[in-house]
Amino acid sequence: MTDILSPASPEDIRRQLLSVVKSVKGQIRNAENLYVSVDLKKPRLQSAPAVPETEDSWHGLHTAAAGCERCALSKTRRNVVFGDGNRSARLVFVGEAPGADEDQQGLPFVGRAGQLLTNIIRAMGLERKDVYICNILKCRPPGNRNPLPEEIRLCEPFLKRQLALISPEIICALGSFAAKTLLQTETPITALRGRFHSYAGIKLMPTYHPAYLLRNPQAKKQVWEDVQLIMKEIGLGGETTTAREVVP
Ligand code: URA
């Protein structure tokens, strides 16, 4: 503690500034989650026609998710990982469930797999803020175990409502859990990927999860093929190079 007689040291000032910056960052992140953000720069990907994006719908949904105690994951989570990105996006990525990094930061796909997903999005000529990213489960399963059917059942209404509010043109389901849950099928991802399916009238492309790509880099080629089909569908990009060049 400093007083008027003993002025703050540079180290005190640095510490106080850091704590202010940290607190402002947290408040901005909360505000972004609670309210519709305004993009000052025109997104490269044109927004979808108006969706019922009222503040109340998103606010209500986010508040409900933030306080959710429907399953036991609410007891072990640090943060609810609601979703992130453009709420008018034409393209939504849906993953499985938050991992440790996501649980810690309250944001989807921010760990190693997330970095790879970010690279894929950039390779499409987009930024994360142009798309919306979320998961089937909003809370981390302990030890990153697979989601339980009951957890999926209880959590899915949040995702359904998010997708209804965004009303994207395309959903990219990342990995087996996302694809099987959204398509209500037991067909393996190997058989599902590579072509569009339909989810509530929205085109859905299943592809391998980025975490799978970290373990099996040879599968990047197929993911890049799937991603190119999405790009073609939304009129993005011209001739592309190889998966290895664009998604290192
Ligand atoms: N894996 C997922 O499925 N989702 C995340 O948010 C992070 C890793």
Side-chain angles (χ1 to χ4, degrees):
M1 191 73 171
T2 57
D3 60 36
I4 213 155
L5 296 175
S6 52
S9 69
E11 182 50 28
D12 282 340
I13 294 174
R14 198 183 73 86
R15 229 179 289 128
Q16 281 167 15
L17 279 176
L18 272 179
S19 110
V20 170
V21 168
K22 226 167 147 189
S23 146
V24 169
K25 270 187 176 170
Q27 286 173 33
I28 290 174
R29 188 181 311 147
N30 282 343
E32 280 174 353
N33 276 334
L34 285 171
Y35 299 103
V36 177
S37 62
V38 179
D39 263 342
L40 294 179
K41 275 205 284 175
K42 190 166 175 263
R44 267 192 269 178
L45 188 59
Q46 275 223 327
S47 292
V51 289
E53 197 190 60
T54 65
E55 189 178 289
D56 277 348
S57 308
W58 278 105
H59 182 75
L61 186 62
H62 185 265
T63 307
C68 177
E69 293 184 346
R70 290 176 177 205
C71 79
L73 296 183
S74 62
K75 296 194 172 51
T76 49
R77 73 179 177 225
R78 272 171 174 241
N79 281 297
V80 171
V81 181
F82 181 70
D84 188 36
N86 184 344
R87 291 171 176 179
S88 301
R90 294 173 67 192
L91 173 59
V92 174
F93 289 92
V94 180
E96 179 179 317
D101 294 309
E102 291 75 20
D103 182 45
Q104 173 114 29
Q105 295 185 43
L107 290 168
F109 282 98
V110 288
R112 276 185 74 221
Q115 185 54 55
L116 185 47
L117 176 62
T118 304
N119 289 345
I120 293 170
I121 292 168
R122 292 220 174 105
M124 299 175 80
L126 300 170
E127 297 293 336
R128 280 176 70 116
K129 68 174 175 52
D130 296 323
V131 301
Y132 194 81
I133 305 173
C134 56
N135 285 301
I136 299 283
L137 292 192
K138 307 299 184 221
C139 298
R140 181 192 183 208
N144 296 346
R145 64 157 168 74
N146 287 340
L148 302 174
E150 184 64 355
E151 290 162 355
I152 294 176
R153 189 183 72 76
L154 292 169
C155 208
E156 206 185 355
F158 291 110
L159 175 63
K160 280 193 172 153
R161 189 81 191 106
Q162 279 173 307
L163 293 173
L165 282 170
I166 298 169
S167 185
E169 285 170 43
I170 296 181
I171 296 168
C172 180
L174 299 167
S176 176
F177 271 97
K180 287 179 175 179
T181 301
L182 290 170
L183 295 175
Q184 297 280 289
T185 178
E186 283 308 313
T187 308
I189 183 82
T190 43
L192 292 172
R193 61 150 294 273
R195 65 199 158 88
F196 283 106
H197 302 253
S198 177
Y199 168 88
I202 302 168
K203 289 195 168 78
L204 184 147
M205 174 63 74
T207 196
Y208 294 127
H209 194 286
Y212 175 79
L213 295 185
L214 291 173
R215 298 189 301 272
N216 303 276
Q218 74 284 358
K220 285 181 182 175
K221 183 173 176 295
Q222 281 129 303
V223 169
W224 188 237
E225 284 164 11
D226 300 341
V227 162
Q228 283 181 296
L229 291 174
I230 294 175
M231 288 166 68
K232 196 163 167 217
E233 195 62 34
I234 50 179
L236 272 176
E239 281 314 297
T240 44
T241 47
T242 65
R244 195 190 311 235
E245 281 170 73
V246 294
V247 191

